[in-house]
Amino acid sequence: MRVTKGARIVAGTALLALAVAACGSGASDGGGTAAGGDETPVRMEIGEPQELLNPQNTTETEGAEVLAAVFEPLVNYDENKEPVEAAAESITTTDSKVWTIKLKSGYTWHDGKPVTAADYARAWNYAANQDNAMSSSYFFGRIDGYEDVHPGEGKTPTTKEMKGLKVVDDLTLEVTLSAPFSQFKTMLGYTAFYPMPEVALGADGKITQAYGEQPIGQGLFKVDKPYKKGTDQSIDLTVYDKFPGTKPTNWKKLQFKIYTSSETAYNDLQADNLDIHDSLPASTINSAKAALGDRYFDEPDAAVGYIGVPLKYNPDFKNVDVRKAISMAIDRETITETVFSGTRSPADDFINPAIPGYRKGACTACTYNPAEAKKLYDSAGGPKSIELGYNNDGGHKEWIEAVANNLRANLGIEVTPKPFEKFQGILDALDSKEYKGLFRMGWAIDYPSAENYLTPIFGTGAIETGSNYGGYSNKEFDELVSKGDQASTPEEGLQFYQQADDILLKDLPYIPIYFYRSNFGHSTKVKNVKLNLLNQVNWAEVEKA
């Protein structure tokens, strides 16, 4: 679940996720001399990660961006959004229930030890165990034996290992699911499925503070020094010489600079004090096109921006007509064209057009109709005042203010935007169920499937460990998603996912506002900057200019 920057779903997109809690105040370059390359690092903006750098507890875009540089996933995705083996040699099944994952030889941890199938089993069992309270636990719910390690609130796990994970040999892991799931391979590019070295765990069997500050990965970059969250303004990395994949050609140092203002990051980009800004704020788009020229990019993106609704935690929004009225009172066309300078498009489905399953115009309540909205809101007894929370570090103020103005003018109510300084702040408030107002949220995909817009955000099981911040629960929705999961073909599964989407369109547990586009830019000091399907930089292709 990738809430982005600008959702843990994308901190602002990533759950992506999901759109975008962006970047921050300036940070020192740091770095150091890179043997065999330019001594100055390539510098990229991020917002402060919500947690320390532990893959099994990272479900937002900022931490995931860093970890994607430190770890190599089992699969990446090609231009057709199909999974292709990366750290895996092969991933096979005959029935979509029992899967055999064979690892490529040659991968080593950054301390030199070989990566084995046991390292994957260790990571997945740890993430699934409810005693460890990992935010990615929900993603392992399809593995046979998950209920033994994650029996639910008030119950105690009966074991520490899922029976569905079997280490066959050093390079082979057999995974048995509780039911067939044809898209299991597609999931395996997600952060939660990274492996874990034995040294990550302390004597008490828990992940250590030291590992969270300086994770040992098996990917392209190793972390140079411990990251002191809340204090450090950068996270510094160096190319791992023994990485068996493709490496950058003329540089070795990478620095993630932590910002609390996306606009400040953009100013640094213009001054060549920052090399990559992957989520340019809406307020800079028009100037960025002129200032950056061919260093400005506007590309399709699979993320979705929402207004979230605390259904389970605030009775003011329990009536679906209240939610529909709010949705119809929002002028998406004007917001996307004016506030976002055309770099967003009005959302009309819960599934993004970039992924198979989208249906144009599916959300009838997403059509702007202020007169009908007012009538419906009054008849449903909607609240006279609403608070609208958003993270202030992701460039969201302008569009949230526009939504607030729409609701004031069209519903005749008091609307108070509530900024949280950091994306981490609003996520923590939602996690703790302390915040009861409407909230800005975004979702960037974890893997390219219509299912990824459904289960992690709206599934009943995602209330506890997923990104279901509103507490939405619908038995029919859960059953339809399950049927899609167990379908014999992706085409058959998609039909069930679309039926589940229809339930969301009827219930409106969230209010879709816009589909993202990826607006990013780079300095004059680098070239060949490209983002992958998960909105993460393909570092091996980046070159110093």
Side-chain angles (χ1 to χ4, degrees):
M1 104 202 77
R2 219 170 297 273
V3 180
T4 111
K5 273 193 315 194
R8 221 179 2 196
I9 300 167
V10 185
T13 115
L15 232 7
L16 173 157
L18 252 156
V20 177
C23 330
S25 61
S28 62
D29 282 349
T33 301
D38 191 329
E39 66 178 13
T40 59
V42 171
R43 303 152 300 177
M44 178 179 173
E45 60 77 30
I46 60 170
E48 184 177 79
Q50 185 187 15
E51 306 289 347
L52 290 178
L53 302 174
N54 168 14
Q56 281 66 48
N57 203 35
T58 297
T59 50
E60 45 76 32
T61 48
E62 309 311 277
E65 183 77 56
V66 177
L67 290 167
V70 178
F71 289 82
E72 179 79 345
L74 287 167
V75 301
N76 286 314
Y77 305 99
D78 64 17
E79 60 185 14
N80 296 317
K81 305 178 180 67
E82 294 294 330
V84 292
E85 285 76 3
E89 181 68 37
S90 64
I91 302 172
T92 58
T93 185
T94 58
D95 59 3
S96 293
K97 184 176 181 180
V98 180
W99 295 77
T100 300
I101 301 172
K102 290 188 177 294
L103 305 177
K104 288 178 180 175
S105 61
Y107 278 88
T108 60
W109 293 106
H110 294 157
D111 61 5
K113 296 180 180 178
V115 178
T116 69
D119 297 323
Y120 286 87
R122 177 184 303 109
W124 299 5
N125 279 318
Y126 189 92
N129 192 313
Q130 73 181 33
D131 286 346
N132 298 324
M134 295 290 100
S135 59
S136 70
S137 175
Y138 183 71
F139 282 87
F140 301 92
R142 293 184 173 88
I143 297 176
D144 191 20
Y146 177 77
E147 66 282 356
D148 298 327
V149 299
H150 204 114
E153 187 175 356
K155 300 178 181 179
T156 302
T158 57
T159 181
K160 293 184 178 181
E161 297 181 355
M162 293 179 284
K163 57 188 174 184
L165 293 183
K166 179 182 177 183
V167 177
V168 178
D169 57 43
D170 281 351
L171 295 179
T172 308
L173 179 67
E174 183 181 273
V175 184
T176 301
L177 307 181
S178 55
F181 181 45
S182 62
Q183 299 182 72
F184 180 67
K185 178 178 178 179
T186 304
M187 293 180 70
L188 297 179
Y190 181 49
T191 311
F193 293 96
Y194 294 164
M196 178 192 295
E198 190 172 6
V199 296
L201 303 179
D204 60 355
K206 301 293 185 180
I207 290 178
T208 65
Q209 174 92 1
Y211 177 77
E213 294 177 347
Q214 190 174 12
I216 296 172
Q218 36 65 287
L220 177 55
F221 292 92
K222 59 181 179 180
V223 182
D224 290 344
K225 60 184 180 180
Y227 161 58
K228 301 300 181 181
K229 179 174 159 57
T231 301
D232 288 351
Q233 292 183 298
S234 69
I235 302 173
D236 302 305
L237 300 88
T238 301
V239 169
Y240 178 52
D241 289 336
K242 295 181 180 179
F243 177 68
T246 306
K247 305 179 187 71
T249 58
N250 63 352
W251 60 279
K252 285 196 172 185
K253 290 285 186 180
L254 173 62
Q255 182 180 75
F256 290 101
K257 297 179 68 174
I258 298 171
Y259 289 82
T260 57
S261 166
S262 191
E263 286 78 7
T264 300
Y266 174 65
N267 291 336
D268 278 356
L269 184 74
Q270 286 185 291
D272 274 351
N273 293 323
L274 179 73
D275 295 310
I276 300 172
H277 193 328
D278 73 338
S279 54
L280 296 173
S283 60
T284 69
I285 296 301
N286 286 332
S287 63
K289 294 176 182 178
L292 301 180
D294 61 3
R295 294 181 286 114
Y296 167 80
F297 298 86
D298 177 10
E299 298 178 352
D301 189 300
V304 183
Y306 312 96
I307 295 295
V309 184
L311 286 180
K312 187 176 179 180
Y313 315 110
N314 190 335
D316 285 348
F317 304 107
K318 185 175 181 180
N319 189 331
V320 67
D321 285 345
V322 170
R323 306 193 295 275
K324 288 182 178 178
I326 292 171
S327 181
M328 290 189 292
I330 298 172
D331 186 356
R332 294 164 176 79
E333 191 73 40
T334 297
I335 289 172
T336 54
E337 286 300 321
T338 303
V339 179
F340 286 110
S341 302
T343 61
R344 304 288 188 271
S345 59
D348 55 359
D349 195 357
F350 279 88
I351 299 172
N352 185 290
I355 301 298
Y358 162 77
R359 293 164 294 170
K360 184 177 178 61
C363 180
T364 57
C366 294
T367 300
Y368 186 49
N369 190 338
E372 182 62 25
K374 172 66 172 170
K375 186 188 306 180
L376 191 62
Y377 195 81
D378 288 345
S379 65
K384 299 301 182 184
S385 63
I386 288 176
E387 192 169 74
L388 187 53
Y390 68 98
N391 53 296
N392 203 35
D393 62 349
H396 297 292
K397 179 180 179 180
E398 292 82 1
W399 79 267
I400 288 295
E401 291 282 4
V403 168
N405 287 333
N406 281 165
L407 300 184
R408 293 184 190 111
N410 297 329
L411 301 181
I413 61 175
E414 179 183 345
V415 183
T416 305
K418 176 179 174 56
F420 288 75
E421 181 183 5
K422 299 179 181 180
F423 189 49
Q424 174 189 348
I426 192 169
L427 291 179
D428 289 346
L430 291 169
D431 274 336
S432 64
K433 314 299 185 288
E434 293 176 359
Y435 186 67
K436 305 296 176 62
L438 298 181
F439 51 91
R440 174 252 138 220
M441 186 50 64
W443 182 259
I445 59 169
D446 308 310
Y447 46 89
S449 168
E451 178 272 334
N452 192 233
Y453 294 99
L454 308 175
T455 313
I457 323 173
F458 304 111
T460 300
I463 295 174
E464 180 188 356
T465 60
S467 292
N468 189 344
Y469 294 110
Y472 173 73
S473 179
N474 183 302
K475 183 178 179 181
E476 184 181 2
F477 170 83
D478 292 337
E479 289 174 346
L480 285 167
V481 172
S482 181
K483 289 180 179 178
D485 291 351
Q486 298 178 47
S488 57
T489 66
E491 293 74 21
E492 180 186 354
L494 188 57
Q495 295 179 28
F496 288 111
Y497 293 144
Q498 288 178 325
Q499 291 175 41
D501 182 34
D502 288 336
I503 301 294
L504 299 182
L505 294 166
K506 180 183 70 174
D507 289 351
L508 282 188
Y510 276 11
I511 299 170
I513 304 298
Y514 55 80
F515 295 130
Y516 276 83
R517 290 187 65 81
S518 182
N519 303 107
F520 64 98
H522 64 79
S523 73
T524 63
K525 297 181 178 181
V526 296
K527 60 183 180 179
N528 296 337
V529 178
K530 299 176 183 178
L531 303 187
N532 63 23
L533 186 63
L534 303 183
N535 289 330
Q536 296 164 347
V537 176
N538 289 323
W539 292 113
E541 297 184 22
V542 175
E543 296 181 53
K544 287 286 189 74

